[in-house]
Amino acid sequence: MAQLQQDKEKLNLAPKKFNMWIFLFTSFMFFMALTSGFIVYTGAGKGHELNFKIPDIFIASTAVIILSSGTMYMASKAAKGLQFAKQRMFLLLTIALGIAFFALQVYGWYIMAIKMQIYFANPNASRSFVYVFTGMHLLHIFAGLVLLLNNLRKSNGKTPQVKNLYSMEMSSLFWHFVDIVWIYLYVFLLLNQH
Amino acid sequence: MSTLAVHDHHGVEHHDHDHEHHHNETFISKYIFSMDHKMIAKQFLITGITMAVIAMILSILFRIQLAYPDKSFPFLETLLGKNFAPGGRLDSNFYLSLVTIHGTIMVFFVLTAGLSGTFSNLLIPFQVGARDMASPFMNMLSYWLFFTASVIMLSSFLLQTQPAGPGWTIYPPLSALPKAMPGSGMGMTLWLISMVLFVASSLMGGINYVSTVLNMRTKGMDLWKMPLTIWAFFLTAILGILAFPVLVAGVVLLIFDRSFGTSFYLSDIVVQGQVMNFEGGSPILFQHLFWFLGHPEVYIVIMPAMGLVSEVMAVNSRKPIFGYHAMVYSLIGITVLSFIVWGHHMFVTGMNPFLGGVFMITTLIIAVPSAVKTFNWLATLWRGNIRFTPAMLFSIGFVSFFISGGITGIFLGNATLDINLHDTYFVVAHFHLVMGSAAIFGMLAGVYHWFPKMYGRLMDEKLGYLHFWLTFIGAYLVFFPMHFMGLDGVPRRYYSFTEIESLKQWVSVNTFITWAAIMAALAQVAFLFNFFYSIFKGKHATQNPWGSNTLEWTTPVERIHGNWPGEIPTVYRWPYDYSKPGHDEDFIPQTVPFSQTMSSNLPHDFEDSPVGDQEWVNTSKSNEHVK
Ligand code: HEM
Ligand SMILES: [Cu+2]
């Protein structure tokens, strides 16, 4: 009987997990479009290069988000092993790191705008692109945090394990993806900063 | 506890099923916030038809202006108000708004959402053998986002200023500077909001379609047993998933330019004698981002129509579709190629001639799979046992328009010719034949053919024929003369041609076109009457009125939740076994196993299914020997 229920559940959830994969694809295309736009823009004329050094604070934020992928992995592992206390702890850690990342990015904007006087509304739009990349990525981080909070709610040990695992899988997919997107964007910016 | 968790979806057994859904089906959950794919399909269809009628009326309004540029029509002022038609003549800015909203509604709201939304929703679960979509909730959300987008788009007609006016392609700077013209202000903002919702809706729909096709096919339904409709919807959804996010990226940057003072697309702008502080932007960047979506978009529009037409043609020719595999590979070819041809919309933007050459070659290559499909349709008709139902006529009309519009595409794909023809009525003729007329005909074919599946009744054939002939002739009368105008250099999107000496002579042709358009528009009344009348009063349909092989016709006429009362049927064969020699009927549904059709089995039948049914191969071979 239990076996049968498991099967049914799988039947329903597999396509939904697949939906998440496809959604990640759309998101991927979105960032590819933005970076391609950057390439077309900078290629179009002289004086369209970034020509400034990307603030070092982004190294810190990169480290933080990579770390958060690690804690997310640990949380998933704990959830699979039915260790709910551990799962909650790692989830909380991931959320904290996510918020820290958010703060660091905003601090990065502060450095760019106030310290370096590189504004969003800029005659050299490649510099505006830096804000667009980070801003659009932060929107994803925000969505990821919402998913993680939802997980936290479900990790109380009372929610059926299938549901708990399912939503853990969904959000860790998303979280790792958002992590990878940031690394991509950061490397992209580093390669184009001069 | 755990039972509760697993039971929130349709059970596999009949019992759970009825039991679960009878209690909590209220009017609202059944007709409004429905999560049933069939109901959502109908919602999309009726919204799509409504939007199509509105967009058609808009086109008649601007056609009146083109035919009689100097006359005033007092009824226009009564109808549209002093703001839009002062003194009974269309305001020139309002003319641009009409063209813009007409194009936007037709391309996106009718031929993207109306077409894919209706038929992907209706046919994917039916034809792959699933009880519903992968995520019925997302499906519902998809419809309501679309509905909201439609309302917002139309609400721009209530503005004091104009609805959006920079054309359906919303090129900056007109779209980026709220002060550029009346249609750049609030109307443009509403356009952008509406389209963002629209894209969200399309993506949700598309994600569901792909996921359902890949994950929820019934037993035996491998990819090579899927009807061409499903292949078409599947690949269309993939196109949308890859292309729409790029439009969003373009629009996000546009919004920053509009409202946050950035200069992604703007440079050296002077508005009303005032130099604006935008510098260094590139309007061409927008065109790249737009057409990277825009070209796949035209195939998003045509591919579902291709799928519908393939199915209708095979059924009504009583013949297998000619070249099933070639049809699928052509669809895949079109899907892939459509991402590398966008530059053909930009030949005159000063692009590097070498790059132009590359886009020219890719563009001409994409004509190949399109031609393969055309020949296959014609070959399907060839010596078929044709039944001229209205759906069949519209399918044949589709092929006709696709040929005449596709050929001019090849003209335009040559950069040297396009430099002359770009932004003339030749382009308008091209895309109204190949997209406007062909895709609409495909959609109408679908409506006539699957009406019994949606409403359990049949549409009236006589009215169908009337509708077909008037529309078919009308569309050619409207769009064919535009080729000659374009060759003579008449530019598109002009308010009137009376100011330009060399173009004055075309006013008479414009008058003719306008009357043809009015006739074709009136012909749609026959359709609308037929459609709504038949919903309530049409002849009752039988379970399989056309003698089709596909799975949707194995479901009961009263469209129940979960589609099949018992188990989902298993599929044994491809969907095109029509008039198979040796069989007593001229069709063999996909659910009939080979063991029941010994007299007609061929070794060829088993090529695509390496497992199972092997024994029947031998038997059938020995059968042949006996003969
Ligand atoms: C045989 C394949 C085709 C070729 C080679 C082709 C080629 C072209 C070219 C070169 C243009 C640009 C003309 C210009 O603006 O100067 C164009 C415009 C257009 N084509 Fe096609 N086309 C083909 C099929 C289609 C199909 C199947 C559709 C839609 C279902 C379509 C829809 C459009 C639209 C909507 C435009 C005009 C967009 C605008 O500027 O508003 N084309 N086509
Ligand atoms: Cu194109």
Side-chain angles (χ1 to χ4, degrees):
Chain A
M1 188 62 205
Q3 184 56 43
L4 206 139
Q5 282 175 353
Q6 281 272 343
D7 278 356
K8 272 192 197 170
E9 186 71 15
K10 256 190 213 144
L11 215 82
N12 294 333
L13 295 182
K16 289 188 180 150
K17 257 177 235 160
F18 199 81
N19 282 356
M20 175 57 95
W21 274 105
I22 309 176
F23 174 76
L24 297 185
F25 234 89
T26 64
S27 201
F28 169 77
M29 282 306 290
F30 176 74
F31 285 104
M32 290 309 282
L34 286 178
T35 46
S36 308
F38 179 95
I39 293 172
V40 172
Y41 180 85
T42 47
K46 279 239 159 59
H48 282 186
E49 298 84 15
L50 271 183
N51 249 336
F52 75 98
K53 196 167 165 301
I54 302 292
D56 286 335
I57 190 76
F58 289 130
I59 299 178
S61 64
T62 311
V64 165
I65 199 171
I66 291 176
L67 202 62
S68 80
S69 256
T71 55
M72 187 70 211
Y73 174 76
M74 295 305 286
S76 292
K77 215 170 134 190
K80 277 186 202 127
L82 298 169
Q83 299 161 298
F84 300 118
K86 212 166 152 198
Q87 182 196 355
R88 286 176 78 81
M89 188 200 52
F90 277 115
L91 270 178
L92 277 170
L93 215 57
T94 315
I95 293 171
L97 287 170
I99 293 172
F101 176 82
F102 205 107
L104 284 171
Q105 297 293 86
V106 174
Y107 185 61
W109 288 349
Y110 166 79
I111 293 179
M112 273 174 64
I114 309 297
K115 295 254 171 75
M116 302 169 84
Q117 311 265 317
I118 291 171
Y119 299 116
F120 179 43
N122 202 306
N124 178 359
S126 64
R127 295 177 167 187
S128 317
F129 265 115
V130 180
Y131 287 94
V132 175
F133 292 163
T134 45
M136 291 295 133
H137 182 254
L138 279 186
L139 275 185
H140 283 71
I141 291 281
F142 181 76
L145 286 173
V146 172
L147 286 180
L148 289 179
L149 284 172
N150 184 36
N151 278 339
L152 198 60
R153 193 173 58 81
K154 285 191 180 151
S155 64
N156 52 9
K158 285 186 200 132
T159 314
Q161 174 68 352
V162 254
K163 290 238 148 173
N164 180 25
L165 268 187
Y166 160 71
S167 62
M168 276 304 278
E169 261 179 74
M170 295 283 263
S171 39
S172 58
L173 255 180
F174 188 77
W175 195 258
H176 294 312
F177 168 78
V178 174
D179 178 8
I180 291 169
V181 167
W182 170 250
I183 294 173
Y184 164 69
L185 290 174
Y186 187 50
V187 171
F188 182 88
L189 285 176
L190 286 182
L191 291 179
N192 283 294
Q193 61 186 339
H194 289 297
Chain B
M1 189 75 226
S2 75
T3 330
L4 232 170
V6 270
H7 261 256
D8 60 351
H9 226 69
H10 326 298
V12 176
E13 264 172 64
H14 183 195
H15 275 308
D16 301 354
H17 216 73
D18 271 17
H19 181 71
E20 258 182 276
H21 288 279
H22 263 242
H23 296 289
N24 43 14
E25 199 152 75
T26 61
F27 179 82
I28 290 188
S29 77
K30 182 155 183 223
Y31 292 106
I32 300 179
F33 295 111
S34 170
M35 296 203 225
D36 185 287
H37 72 103
K38 301 178 285 295
M39 184 53 69
I40 295 177
K42 289 190 259 186
Q43 290 174 327
F44 267 109
L45 180 60
I46 294 200
T47 317
I49 289 177
T50 312
M51 293 301 274
V53 170
I54 292 171
M56 185 179 76
I57 293 172
L58 301 184
S59 75
I60 298 296
L61 290 177
F62 64 71
R63 280 301 335 166
I64 291 177
Q65 159 63 28
L66 289 172
Y68 303 105
D70 295 324
K71 276 214 186 90
S72 74
F73 297 89
F75 79 91
L76 283 182
E77 188 171 342
T78 339
L79 188 70
L80 300 167
K82 274 211 172 57
N83 213 358
F84 295 157
R89 286 189 61 192
L90 280 193
D91 175 63
S92 60
N93 281 304
F94 187 61
Y95 174 88
L96 292 177
S97 301
L98 285 176
V99 178
T100 303
I101 306 288
H102 163 78
T104 309
I105 291 184
M106 285 300 193
V107 173
F108 292 110
F109 290 76
V110 179
L111 291 176
T112 304
L115 182 56
S116 277
T118 304
F119 290 103
S120 296
N121 269 319
L122 182 72
L123 293 179
I124 288 179
F126 267 148
Q127 292 192 336
V128 304
R131 300 223 182 259
D132 209 313
M133 285 287 173
S135 168
F137 177 74
M138 240 166 85
N139 212 17
M140 174 189 83
L141 218 55
S142 161
Y143 172 74
W144 284 102
L145 282 172
F146 166 61
F147 183 82
T148 316
S150 308
V151 170
I152 293 179
M153 185 61 74
L154 293 178
S155 70
S156 59
F157 280 98
L158 306 175
L159 292 177
Q160 270 289 314
T161 53
Q162 313 272 354
W168 78 278
T169 55
I170 55 157
Y171 284 177
L174 284 182
S175 58
L177 296 165
K179 294 223 171 67
M181 63 175 188
S184 307
M186 193 56 198
M188 191 61 224
T189 306
L190 288 180
W191 192 101
L192 290 170
I193 295 171
S194 168
M195 278 311 288
V196 167
L197 296 178
F198 179 88
V199 170
S201 152
S202 272
L203 287 176
M204 285 188 186
I207 288 174
N208 244 326
Y209 307 150
V210 170
S211 179
T212 309
V213 171
L214 287 182
N215 293 300
M216 300 179 59
R217 298 189 309 275
T218 183
K219 222 170 113 214
M221 178 65 85
D222 55 59
L223 292 180
W224 289 112
K225 289 198 179 66
M226 296 197 310
L228 286 173
T229 36
I230 301 301
W231 272 108
F233 300 148
F234 172 60
L235 292 164
T236 303
I238 291 181
L239 271 181
I241 286 168
L242 294 176
F244 273 117
V246 180
L247 177 69
V248 175
V251 163
V252 164
L253 300 184
L254 183 62
I255 291 173
F256 287 137
D257 272 7
R258 268 177 82 76
S259 313
F260 296 85
T262 53
S263 318
F264 291 106
Y265 305 134
L266 295 170
S267 186
D268 309 318
I269 299 285
V270 182
V271 178
Q272 288 154 359
Q274 239 190 333
V275 181
M276 313 284 281
N277 54 352
F278 294 107
E279 266 178 77
S282 153
I284 308 292
L285 173 60
F286 180 82
Q287 293 197 20
H288 280 297
L289 291 172
F290 182 86
W291 285 115
F292 189 86
L293 157 93
H295 187 84
E297 168 62 25
V298 306
Y299 282 97
I300 290 173
V301 163
I302 204 73
M303 289 209 315
M306 289 172 160
L308 295 170
V309 163
S310 305
E311 180 65 24
V312 171
M313 278 208 162
V315 173
N316 288 299
S317 303
R318 312 311 289 164
K319 266 181 71 185
I321 190 84
F322 189 91
Y324 172 79
H325 285 79
M327 286 299 224
V328 174
Y329 287 124
S330 308
L331 284 174
I332 296 174
I334 289 174
T335 305
V336 174
L337 286 170
S338 68
F339 282 106
I340 49 171
V341 300
W342 79 91
H344 66 216
H345 295 274
M346 301 167 60
F347 282 139
V348 298
T349 55
M351 71 164 52
N352 179 332
F354 175 75
L355 190 59
V358 172
F359 280 124
M360 184 169 112
I361 290 169
T362 55
T363 301
L364 296 183
I365 292 175
I366 206 173
V368 175
S370 310
V372 168
K373 296 193 74 73
T374 308
F375 286 120
N376 284 349
W377 287 314
L378 296 179
T380 304
L381 290 175
W382 181 252
R383 303 180 65 182
N385 197 355
I386 299 180
R387 296 190 308 207
F388 290 101
T389 60
M392 184 61 167
L393 286 176
F394 276 99
S395 302
I396 296 172
F398 166 94
V399 176
S400 165
F401 286 127
F402 191 70
I403 295 174
S404 30
I407 286 176
T408 51
I410 299 176
F411 287 49
L412 293 169
N414 288 280
T416 38
L417 286 172
D418 187 63
I419 288 168
N420 285 292
L421 294 172
H422 178 68
D423 263 352
T424 68
Y425 268 82
F426 194 87
V427 178
V428 178
H430 159 67
F431 71 76
H432 277 91
L433 284 176
V434 78
M435 173 154 91
S437 307
I440 284 274
F441 269 50
M443 184 169 169
L444 288 169
V447 173
Y448 279 99
H449 192 80
W450 277 281
F451 191 85
K453 203 66 254 166
M454 286 190 267
Y455 296 102
R457 292 170 188 268
L458 293 164
M459 288 176 78
D460 184 67
E461 296 220 323
K462 295 247 164 51
L463 278 174
Y465 295 137
L466 180 74
H467 176 216
F468 169 76
W469 284 110
L470 288 179
T471 314
F472 184 72
I473 295 169
Y476 267 120
L477 291 182
V478 169
F479 300 120
F480 212 76
M482 290 184 184
H483 292 112
F484 305 109
M485 298 173 66
L487 288 172
D488 194 40
V490 181
R492 64 195 278 207
R493 289 182 181 151
Y494 273 33
Y495 170 65
S496 92
F497 299 107
T498 43
E499 308 286 309
I500 305 159
E501 196 53 45
S502 64
L503 302 181
K504 268 186 187 156
Q505 52 176 329
W506 288 103
V507 173
S508 57
V509 174
N510 267 327
T511 317
F512 172 78
I513 292 179
T514 296
W515 281 105
I518 291 173
M519 177 195 88
L522 287 177
Q524 305 316 306
V525 176
F527 170 73
L528 293 174
F529 174 77
N530 197 352
F531 184 84
F532 289 107
Y533 182 82
S534 304
I535 290 181
F536 302 106
K537 295 273 168 67
K539 254 194 295 183
H540 283 282
T542 51
Q543 193 187 16
N544 189 356
W546 317 118
S548 288
N549 290 339
T550 38
L551 285 183
E552 76 271 30
W553 305 105
T554 63
T555 61
V557 188
E558 331 50 48
R559 309 148 301 281
I560 55 169
H561 199 80
N563 294 343
W564 286 270
E567 239 177 276
I568 302 181
T570 305
V571 162
Y572 297 96
R573 56 177 75 233
W574 78 326
Y576 296 106
D577 271 342
Y578 292 106
S579 306
K580 202 171 178 193
H583 193 69
D584 49 353
E585 265 181 314
D586 70 348
F587 68 107
I588 314 176
Q590 287 190 278
T591 50
V592 177
F594 285 106
S595 57
Q596 291 173 22
T597 57
M598 298 295 279
S599 57
S600 65
N601 291 354
L602 299 169
H604 170 80
D605 292 335
F606 305 95
E607 274 169 12
D608 279 337
S609 44
V611 281
D613 292 323
Q614 291 293 349
E615 58 218 272
W616 310 117
V617 185
N618 298 331
T619 334
S620 62
K621 265 192 187 142
S622 63
N623 256 3
E624 271 180 328
H625 282 302
V626 175
K627 280 179 203 160

